[in-house]
């Protein structure tokens, strides 16, 4: 075959030769999100390690050749911090407070009270949050955010065991003692210890999407995800009083959720007049009898819905009487209706590309 000869002038006139050497539009690569986890002496180890591992695992799932989605740093005022478990670990120094930051995570722990009493650290948190796109706290780390004035007028949560102290110290904060985590604008707070993992998974989902968060949950063998409105602990536990005077009543209620649980019936069961029972019960549990019964019914309904039971059957067996009453109670307690709750959290129901969450325990990633 004869060779094709093309002179330089003819080649230069071709459209391909006149195109720029580099494409005019380069593919957009998401920038790495900087994350700083603030520590101090007496920090709770899992408050640091839990969220840190969630973000680190998200980095492991980054596509080949793409930058890691998170740049991670554990920072403190000292070079070394000893956690409550007695484990010392090295930390990076506190960066300049005005340096741009994507996410600030403030861990909790027994040392948070001393941290709140440190004006320099509190001031750094206040200024650092102003430079961050998103500020979060884990467990009692909310105390440090509140000390910096970042939670005034906002809804927030902290460890259940410190809610009373928090409410006394920071009355300007709209404390909600029940949820696993709370988002109020650019500030996220989480409940105790392991709830920091739930919070971090929610942050990954907000940044990278549901599939990425699910992959991380599978790798870590954790739930994806407990609903943000789910209580920190069971309703029966939350209703316990120090003297235990209503424990038998609570056990009876749980065994008879479909029965008449009116104030008159409960008062008779407790051998009190309705007025006296209502007053003593609220003093002991912090709730009215009606709200306590509703909470116990909602919790039982959640378990049945997670097992895949039909909504109508759940409404009947848990004593709601109708699906509409069940729906109103769910919206009041959890912020979602029973149908949506069942779709998200029923055992064995997968995402299927619809954006629904899995409540079932995630299996380990079989590809790893």
């Amino acid at each position: 075959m004869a060779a094709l000869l093309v002179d330089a002038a003819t080649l230069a006139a071709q459209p391909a030769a006149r195109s720029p050497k580099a494409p005019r539009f380069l593919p957009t690569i998401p920038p790495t999100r900087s994350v700083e986890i603030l520590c101090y002496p007496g920090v709770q180890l899992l408050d640091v390690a839990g969220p840190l591992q969630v973000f680190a695992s998200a980095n492991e799932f980054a596509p080949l050749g793409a930058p890691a989605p998170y740049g991670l740093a554990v920072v403190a005022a000292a070079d070394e911090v000893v956690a409550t478990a007695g484990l010392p670990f090295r930390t990076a120094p506190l960066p300049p407070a005005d340096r741009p930051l994507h996410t600030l995570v403030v861990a909790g722990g027994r040392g948070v009270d001393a941290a709140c009493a440190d004006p320099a650290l509190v001031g750094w948190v206040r200024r650092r949050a102003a430079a961050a796109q998103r500020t979060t706290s884990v467990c009692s780390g909310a105390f440090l955010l509140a000390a910096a004035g970042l939670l005034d007028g906002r809804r927030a949560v902290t460890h259940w065991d410190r809610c009373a102290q928090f409410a006394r110290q920071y009355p300007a904060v709209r404390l909600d003692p029940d949820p696993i985590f709370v988002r109020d604008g650019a500030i996220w707070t989480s409940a105790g210890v392991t709830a920091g993992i739930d919070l971090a998974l929610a942050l990954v989902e907000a940044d990278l999407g549901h599939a990425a968060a699910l992959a991380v949950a599978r790798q870590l063998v954790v739930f994806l995800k407990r609903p943000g409105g789910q209580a920190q602990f069971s309703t029966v536990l939350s209703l316990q009083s120090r003297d235990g005077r209503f424990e038998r009543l609570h056990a009876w209620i749980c065994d008879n959720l479909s029965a008449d649980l009116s104030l008159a019936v409960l008062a008779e069961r407790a051998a009190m007049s309705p007025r006296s029972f209502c007053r003593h019960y609220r003093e002991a549990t912090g709730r009215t009898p009606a709200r306590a019964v509703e909470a116990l019914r909602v919790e039982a309904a959640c378990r049945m819905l997670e097992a895949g039971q039909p909504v109508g059957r759940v409404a009947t067996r848990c004593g709601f009487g109708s699906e509409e009453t069940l729906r109103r109670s769910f919206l009041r307690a959890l912020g979602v209706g029973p149908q949506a709750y069942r779709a998200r959290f029923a055992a064995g129901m997968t995402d299927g590309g619809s954006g629904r969450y899995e409540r079932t325990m995630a299996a380990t990633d079989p590809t790893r």
Side-chain angles (χ1 to χ4, degrees):
M1 180 181 293
L4 179 63
L5 299 178
V6 180
D7 61 86
T10 301
L11 183 60
Q14 299 304 309
R18 294 197 303 269
S19 66
K21 294 182 179 179
R24 288 188 176 91
F25 302 102
L26 294 175
T28 301
I29 299 177
T32 296
R33 299 161 183 83
S34 53
V35 178
E36 292 172 3
I37 302 178
L38 176 64
C39 302
Y40 42 80
V43 73
Q44 166 65 244
L45 182 60
L46 197 53
D47 285 9
V48 180
L52 181 65
Q53 187 57 59
V54 169
F55 293 126
S57 294
N59 284 346
E60 294 178 12
F61 286 102
L64 186 64
Y70 297 104
L72 304 172
V74 178
V75 303
D79 293 336
E80 184 177 274
V81 166
V82 179
T84 52
L87 179 69
F89 57 91
R90 302 285 295 177
T91 58
L94 297 179
D98 57 355
R99 178 187 297 171
L101 175 66
H102 188 275
T103 301
L104 174 64
V105 180
V106 178
R110 289 198 298 267
V112 74
D113 294 323
C116 290
D118 182 348
L121 185 59
V122 171
W124 181 87
V125 170
R126 183 184 305 112
R127 296 190 304 274
R128 199 72 185 110
Q133 296 182 37
R134 182 170 63 193
T135 299
T136 73
S137 67
V138 179
C139 192
S140 56
F143 279 78
L144 200 43
L145 295 189
L150 299 172
L151 298 181
D152 289 354
R154 293 183 181 272
R155 183 166 168 255
V157 65
T158 188
H159 192 290
W160 65 267
D161 195 39
R162 303 198 66 176
C163 282
Q165 176 192 352
F166 188 96
R168 289 193 304 270
Q169 288 185 217
Y170 304 108
V173 181
R174 293 159 49 209
L175 180 68
D176 188 342
D178 289 330
I180 295 295
F181 62 84
V182 167
R183 178 183 183 180
D184 191 323
I187 295 185
W188 304 55
T189 53
S190 82
V193 195
T194 58
I197 296 176
D198 295 88
L199 172 63
L201 285 169
L203 297 176
V204 169
E205 183 172 31
D207 294 339
L208 308 177
H210 175 70
L214 179 59
V216 172
R218 281 176 171 162
Q219 185 192 55
L220 299 181
V221 198
V222 296
F223 288 112
L224 181 71
K225 66 178 179 176
R226 293 187 286 179
Q230 183 176 324
Q232 295 193 46
F233 41 78
S234 73
T235 301
V236 172
L237 178 60
S238 70
L239 292 174
Q240 284 183 355
S241 58
R242 292 185 178 180
D243 56 17
R245 69 175 117 168
F246 294 116
E247 287 185 8
R248 288 188 177 182
L249 177 63
H250 292 150
W252 180 82
I253 292 172
C254 290
D255 289 338
N256 296 274
L257 289 174
S258 61
D260 177 9
L261 299 179
S262 62
L263 177 61
V265 170
L266 297 181
E268 182 180 359
R269 189 79 189 178
M272 298 181 184
S273 69
R275 184 174 180 179
S276 178
F277 169 69
C278 192
R279 176 170 58 85
H280 285 290
Y281 188 86
R282 186 159 193 168
E283 288 175 354
T285 67
R287 303 194 196 192
T288 65
R291 285 293 181 228
V293 168
E294 182 182 55
L296 289 168
R297 281 174 165 160
V298 166
E299 185 171 71
C302 285
R303 291 196 297 269
M304 290 186 67
L305 291 169
E306 289 161 12
Q309 295 292 315
V311 173
R313 182 184 302 169
V314 172
T316 300
R317 292 189 177 179
C318 294
F320 290 98
S322 69
E323 292 186 28
E324 177 58 24
T325 302
L326 172 64
R327 188 186 71 84
R328 290 199 301 268
S329 294
F330 260 60
L331 289 174
R332 183 163 45 243
L334 301 176
V336 296
Q339 294 280 9
Y341 186 94
R342 182 176 178 272
R344 292 181 183 181
F345 308 119
M349 287 190 176
T350 59
D351 177 73
S354 65
R356 296 179 298 178
Y357 300 129
E358 288 184 311
R359 180 68 165 84
T360 53
M361 180 66 81
T364 52
D365 184 359
T367 65
R368 298 188 66 81

